[in-house]
Amino acid sequence: MTQSVGIVTPQKIAFETPITLSSGVTLPRYDLMVETYGELNAARSNAILICHALSGHHHVAGKHREDDKAPGWWDTMIGPGKPIDTNRFFVIGVNNLGGCHGSTGPSTINPDTGQPFGSTFPLVLVRDWVETQVRLADHFGIRQFAAVVGGSLGGMQALRWTITHPERVRHALVIASAPKLTAQNIAFNDVARQAILTDPDFHGGDYYQHGVVPRRGLRLARMLGHITYLSDDGMGEKFGRMLRSGEYKYGFDVEFEIESYLRYQGDKFSDYFDANTYLLMTKALDYFDPGRFYGGDLVAALREAHAKFLVVSFTSDWRFSPERSREIVKALLDAKRDVTYAEIESAHGHDAFLMEDPPYHNIMRAYLNRIAAEVNA
Amino acid sequence: MTQSVGIVTPQKIAFETPITLSSGVTLPRYDLMVETYGELNAARSNAILICHALSGHHHVAGKHREDDKAPGWWDTMIGPGKPIDTNRFFVIGVNNLGGCHGSTGPSTINPDTGQPFGSTFPLVLVRDWVETQVRLADHFGIRQFAAVVGGSLGGMQALRWTITHPERVRHALVIASAPKLTAQNIAFNDVARQAILTDPDFHGGDYYQHGVVPRRGLRLARMLGHITYLSDDGMGEKFGRMLRSGEYKYGFDVEFEIESYLRYQGDKFSDYFDANTYLLMTKALDYFDPGRFYGGDLVAALREAHAKFLVVSFTSDWRFSPERSREIVKALLDAKRDVTYAEIESAHGHDAFLMEDPPYHNIMRAYLNRIAAEVNA
């Protein structure tokens, strides 16, 4: 029987050693917000790191309070008896550097100025995140993760781990991801960024001091994002051309149900997410291109890896289509690495990686069973 | 040998009989801006109406002045010796009601107030445009068009003509179009609209009186539009991940060439296009659903038609995919109507309908030759 990890408490971990990022900027210190589930075994061999996507964070499973409306963002996947089984694994969720859920980021107060970092917070590459996560592993005394796991931008982190720190990751689970963005992916990100950057309330990124947030821009960015998370067919099945009132109103209020859904999602998101973090996350996505540091050759990059790989894609995902996952698989095979690939039939588009779907969860469970046997979890 | 129609002069035609639109609003009068190419024959049987898409207008072919940088928007298709051959056909281009290129629209001065219509200009259905175009046919003494031709939203007008005025259209050429929008199509339109509607310079649609235009919103709408006009592959071939400076800049200025392209397109568009017209056009797209008036049955709607049909789609068009054109073809066959269908191999996405491509133009030419023979053009 599966159940929840229950009530969980996040912890903020301070890293007081300076870190120099890919951009050349050095942060003298930073905090990472984390949650952990399950117990680290004596050999410290059963740890799994969960890397989050664009709008994710450290709160991956369980609830903070009994009356929380929703559990962590991947609660379907992680818990006692679930595919990532917290009876066997020690699971770490982390809010990435630059995030807006407690880790040091643009909305954090810069101790040097007493003001939020805002526009002065540096942009980061996925490899920078991996460096901060390596220090996080050190903090827990974890020499090697049993697995680094992530969907979308999270999968890029898992991939980067295997290249930069091959000895420290046993398995990489790369879900609904891509080896680098296409021009179309970058284009969508740039429209989202321009919506934020041109919002009069953005104030060059230093909106905190003006007592406003670029809510309009963030709302548009999220609405657009949601279109790319869902499939055309899935959206059609769920909303179709349903009219809220049954007839045309000849105005700009909500007419079609899909409009209601998108505007609601945009409004909700703009209430809590930090616009500078959104910008930073989309740039990390754009920049990700591990082959770039190897003469444009992804195969050469992946020859660095020692890990074994599970790559998963979803048939109706058009943001990071199965074709993109197959590029990773092909490169791994060319690099003579051990890879299992599953293309899951789903109508849920990119969002499918977050959903509870038996064929998907069965693959994950089977693969993680193998890992558990290897690490005696 | 093909050549241009040369220097052309638009004309504004006044319609002084009131028209009651689908919304119930009555306009006491309106103007339509048109251009014509070629000569109407004695039988008035060789006229072709060109219906425009979202951002189009009456200036379809030729130039207004020798030193115009570019000719009309479909100059590759229309001219002496071109597929729509102005040596044989009398071609009419029209700016639709609600447009911003000379026809009566939101930016037109309302004679009752001395101010632009702005927010008081009514939204329209495609069927309303067809009614105004019927009056345009009457103006020229054209009882029956040899063909009504359009791509995208223009194709919807051609389709609507055959249903509402079956006796008045001999052939309908429906290119890169759809029988109605999907939820995803509506979603993209709504993000574009929200960008405009929430721009602080929109002023509820009455920005003219404030001496501003909602340029930010219109720019975002156009950037987003462009993503949907191009194919993922086509964009990849043209721009890929090319960096303007060859290296990452860790900032929000243009880094990737695709960003430069989109921002340029957005800037250019926001300089000349009217935001209220953009809103009106996207709503006409959303509302189009000819089956709706026949119990949701497109086949029943198309049983009204007497016309013969050419339906054309492009393989990489994901805004109005071949699947959507096949829905039209299937419904026409079920309605026992005469239809020719061509699915053209192209990497240019939705924009392919505007491009000069031999397989596409050869189909158009062959079909129009048949029309010319029928009407003795």
Side-chain angles (χ1 to χ4, degrees), chain B residues 31-340:
Chain B
D31 299 314
L32 291 182
M33 202 69 148
V34 302
E35 282 182 15
T36 69
Y37 323 112
E39 299 294 329
L40 191 58
N41 63 11
R44 296 171 187 262
S45 63
N46 70 332
I48 291 181
L49 177 68
I50 309 295
C51 301
H52 70 73
L54 207 161
S55 60
H57 43 66
H58 58 282
H59 181 37
V60 185
K63 293 187 169 187
H64 289 153
R65 285 187 310 268
E66 281 297 348
D67 60 352
D68 280 357
K69 277 189 190 157
W73 58 266
W74 219 6
D75 192 78
T76 55
M77 184 64 81
I78 296 160
K82 291 180 181 174
I84 298 178
D85 187 346
T86 51
N87 289 330
R88 302 196 288 181
F89 293 106
F90 176 66
V91 178
I92 305 175
V94 57
N95 185 214
N96 280 351
L97 184 73
C100 54
H101 289 86
S103 294
T104 300
S107 53
T108 305
I109 299 295
N110 178 350
D112 293 345
T113 65
Q115 298 287 336
F117 280 100
S119 62
T120 68
F121 199 84
L123 293 184
V124 300
L125 297 193
V126 167
R127 60 189 304 158
D128 296 323
W129 283 334
V130 168
E131 292 313 305
T132 65
Q133 292 162 359
V134 165
R135 294 185 183 186
L136 183 63
D138 292 343
H139 168 87
F140 284 107
I142 297 160
R143 201 197 60 78
Q144 184 187 57
F145 280 112
V148 177
V149 181
S152 192
L153 178 56
M156 293 172 174
Q157 294 162 59
L159 213 50
R160 170 48 74 190
W161 260 95
T162 71
I163 297 166
T164 317
H165 294 282
E167 304 291 350
R168 301 199 66 165
V169 50
R170 193 171 180 96
H171 292 271
L173 280 65
V174 179
I175 305 165
S177 195
K180 61 184 175 191
L181 297 200
T182 63
Q184 189 190 71
N185 294 146
I186 296 170
F188 278 121
N189 280 346
D190 199 48
V191 175
R193 280 192 297 265
Q194 289 297 312
I196 293 168
L197 293 165
T198 64
D199 185 324
D201 286 336
F202 182 65
H203 295 288
D206 296 315
Y207 42 87
Y208 317 97
Q209 288 92 317
H210 292 79
V212 291
V213 292
R215 188 180 303 276
R216 285 175 296 247
L218 198 52
R219 175 175 177 269
L220 291 170
R222 185 62 164 183
M223 288 177 73
L224 179 53
H226 265 281
I227 300 177
T228 70
Y229 303 152
L230 304 177
S231 73
D232 190 8
D233 284 351
M235 216 183 237
E237 278 167 35
K238 194 166 171 188
F239 303 103
R241 294 179 52 83
M242 260 188 305
L243 289 163
R244 172 163 271 196
S245 74
E247 55 187 31
Y248 294 163
K249 291 291 190 187
Y250 301 99
F252 299 113
D253 290 341
V254 164
E255 296 210 83
F256 293 94
E257 288 293 349
I258 180 64
E259 297 173 316
S260 171
Y261 171 80
L262 283 184
R263 296 184 197 180
Y264 173 77
Q265 294 293 339
D267 287 338
K268 201 173 67 169
F269 189 71
S270 68
D271 276 345
Y272 72 84
F273 205 84
D274 181 62
N276 282 318
T277 290
Y278 199 88
L279 295 173
L280 176 147
M281 294 282 165
T282 62
K283 288 298 278 189
L285 273 163
D286 287 7
Y287 288 141
F288 183 70
D289 182 4
R292 179 176 161 80
F293 302 93
Y294 295 81
D297 184 359
L298 180 63
V299 177
L302 289 171
R303 275 201 202 99
E304 304 281 3
H306 297 183
K308 294 175 177 170
F309 293 80
L310 173 65
V311 177
V312 179
S313 71
F314 300 91
T315 50
S316 61
D317 183 353
W318 63 280
R319 186 177 172 100
F320 295 143
S321 70
E323 191 184 346
R324 311 308 315 284
S325 281
R326 279 185 247 119
E327 286 175 42
I328 298 173
V329 172
K330 168 74 161 60
L332 283 167
L333 291 173
D334 286 346
K336 302 200 188 334
R337 292 299 169 267
D338 186 339
V339 56
T340 300

